[in-house]
Every structure is written in C-alpha cells, then in structure tokens.
Amino acid sequence: MSLPDVVSGQEWLAARKALLVKEKAATRARDELNAERRRLPMVLVDKPYVFTGPDGEASLLDLFEGRRQLIVHHFMWTYDMRPDGTEIPRTTGCPSCSATADNIGHLAHLRARDTTLVAVSRAPQSYLAPFRARMGWTFPWYSSAGSDFNHDFHATVDERVAPVLLNYRTEAELAEAGIEWGPARRGDYPGISAFLRDGDQVFHTYSTFARGLEQQGGTTAYLDLTALGRQEAWEQPPGRATGLGAGAGSPDVRFHDEY
C-alpha cells in the first residue's frame, strides 16, 4: 500500500494552499452546475400513480405532504428470479441503497425548506415495513408495486415493459458504448427524482442515476476528504488502499447491523 509523502509542515501548507485554489474552482463550477440544473424545464405528471404506504393508498400528490417539493429515492429491492423471468421479492432491500439510506439526515431541515423526502420501491409494503423497522429508519417509504412509476422514471429497466433508457442511454447508445443489453441487466437501478407542485399539478424537474447519487451518500463524501479515499480500485493514486474496505456496489457492502 502506498502512502502520502512525508514532508515538513511548511511544505504541507504550501501544497494545501495550491489544492485550495482548485477546490474553490470546483466549488464555483458546482454552483454554476446547480444553477443550470435549476434552469431545466419541467414536465407535467398527469398519470394517476397509486402507491401504498403504512397508512394505505396514496397518490403522487399525497407524497408531497402539502409541501412544494418532493425528492424520491428510488430504492432498489432484491429479488430471486424464476426460470420464466418472474421476480420473487426477498425480505431485504439492496445493501448499497441501504448504505445510502443510512446517511439520510433529520428530515426537519428539508421540511423547513418546503421539501419532502421519501423512498419508493417496487416491493410490497408488507416487505418494506419490517425491513425499515429493522434498519431503524424513519423516512417515509412507499411501495410502487402494481404501478408504472418505476418504469416511467427509469428506476426499473426492462425492455419487455418499456424501451430501455439506462442512465439516459438507449439500447443502441449502450451498444455504441460497448455495453450489451440483455436479460441480466433487467431490474431496478438506484436513482433520485425531484418533483415540484404547483397547486394540485405535479411536475417532474430532475432525475439522476449511477454516480449522480454520490453527494447524497455522506460516507463517500467523508472518505473523499481522507488520505485513503474510498478504497476502490479506480481511484488515484493507484495502490493507495485498494481492497481495504467495502467498495460501493461490491459484495463487501453489508447492512449496518451485519458488519
């Protein structure tokens, strides 16, 4: 394992100041990107989706809880697959999505800014509630079982139900990138979608997938500040800490009560 060079305090300070210039530039670039995100147009959502929560059925409008904005974590569930392609839900959700959920803070701060955060999964509510209790989570969690919600917002991708759009790439675009679409790729994908309410009308303003969720996972944000980083093979400099920890999406990720 390689470690950072050992230098004097004065040399470290000089290097740190040089890096600070780049950090400030990245912060300004992020501010500009966030402004571009806020300038995105929006799409009216008029399909009557029905969700199931702890207290029964709810519409997409109900999920706002009267607030102006809604953030939806598309929480992947885990399934066993029958030979005919039928999915059988297991009793636990996705370990990586669970790790992200562990980092969701106190919702009062979002709600004070007129914003509601919920999780949505395809599994029945009878599966979600026990797992939520086991994990000790308090955020609202709804089932979209029986609706088109996951497919319409591309958190579940299955060409038998809807055309492929995986992280905004069609099946043809995936092929051009060297990614072959097939049955093994069908299923749930992690994502976040944002909605805005204007009266009783709901608009879709944003969705992100894959590494677009990183900033919402506090663990990775903290690790990015450390010398050993996220401890994943793709990081630079090479050989720093590969294989030390539970890399995102790896089989080493556990539920927090299993480490």
Side-chain angles (χ1 to χ4, degrees), residues 41 47 60 80 101 108 132 135 141 152 155 159 166 173 192 237:
K47 183 178 287 190
L60 183 58
D80 291 315
R132 178 175 179 265
M135 294 289 100
W141 198 354
D152 288 351
E159 79 285 356
L166 180 60
E173 290 169 334
I192 294 176

Side-chain angles (χ1 to χ4, degrees), residues 37 45 60 63-64 69-75 115-120 149-156 168 189-196 202-209 212-213 216:
R37 185 180 292 113
V45 181
L60 183 58
L63 268 56
F64 281 78
Q69 296 192 122
L70 172 68
I71 298 170
V72 172
H73 267 270
H74 299 288
F75 196 119
T115 301
T116 297
L117 182 147
V118 305
V120 171
F149 183 78
N150 274 53
H151 293 95
D152 288 351
F153 290 94
H154 312 294
T156 300
Y168 298 109
Y189 288 85
I192 294 176
S193 291
F195 301 87
L196 180 68
V202 174
F203 297 88
H204 176 222
T205 60
Y206 184 73
S207 287
T208 189
F209 307 93
L213 280 69
Q216 286 66 44

Side-chain angles (χ1 to χ4, degrees), residues 36-169:
E36 286 296 307
R37 185 180 292 113
R38 290 190 293 271
R39 293 188 185 102
L40 276 174
M42 58 187 185
V43 178
L44 177 66
V45 181
D46 53 9
K47 183 178 287 190
Y49 298 110
V50 177
F51 304 89
T52 305
D55 300 320
E57 290 188 349
S59 67
L60 183 58
L61 183 63
D62 292 332
L63 268 56
F64 281 78
E65 298 178 350
R67 301 182 182 92
R68 289 293 306 280
Q69 296 192 122
L70 172 68
I71 298 170
V72 172
H73 267 270
H74 299 288
F75 196 119
M76 296 170 59
W77 200 251
T78 53
Y79 297 85
D80 291 315
M81 191 74 68
R82 289 177 176 169
D84 64 359
T86 302
E87 294 176 317
I88 307 299
R90 299 179 184 174
T91 58
T92 58
C94 164
S96 290
C97 288
S98 297
T100 298
D102 284 335
N103 288 283
I104 294 175
H106 202 296
L107 297 182
H109 302 291
L110 280 174
R111 291 168 177 171
R113 289 163 177 81
D114 214 15
T115 301
T116 297
L117 182 147
V118 305
V120 171
S121 298
R122 285 193 300 145
Q125 183 62 220
S126 59
Y127 286 75
L128 305 183
F131 187 60
R132 178 175 179 265
R134 169 188 164 183
M135 294 289 100
W137 298 326
T138 58
F139 54 81
W141 198 354
Y142 292 88
S143 168
S144 62
S147 82
D148 298 328
F149 183 78
N150 274 53
H151 293 95
D152 288 351
F153 290 94
H154 312 294
T156 300
V157 185
D158 187 335
E159 79 285 356
R160 299 170 300 179
V161 179
V164 170
L165 194 64
L166 180 60
N167 200 10
Y168 298 109
R169 290 188 289 187

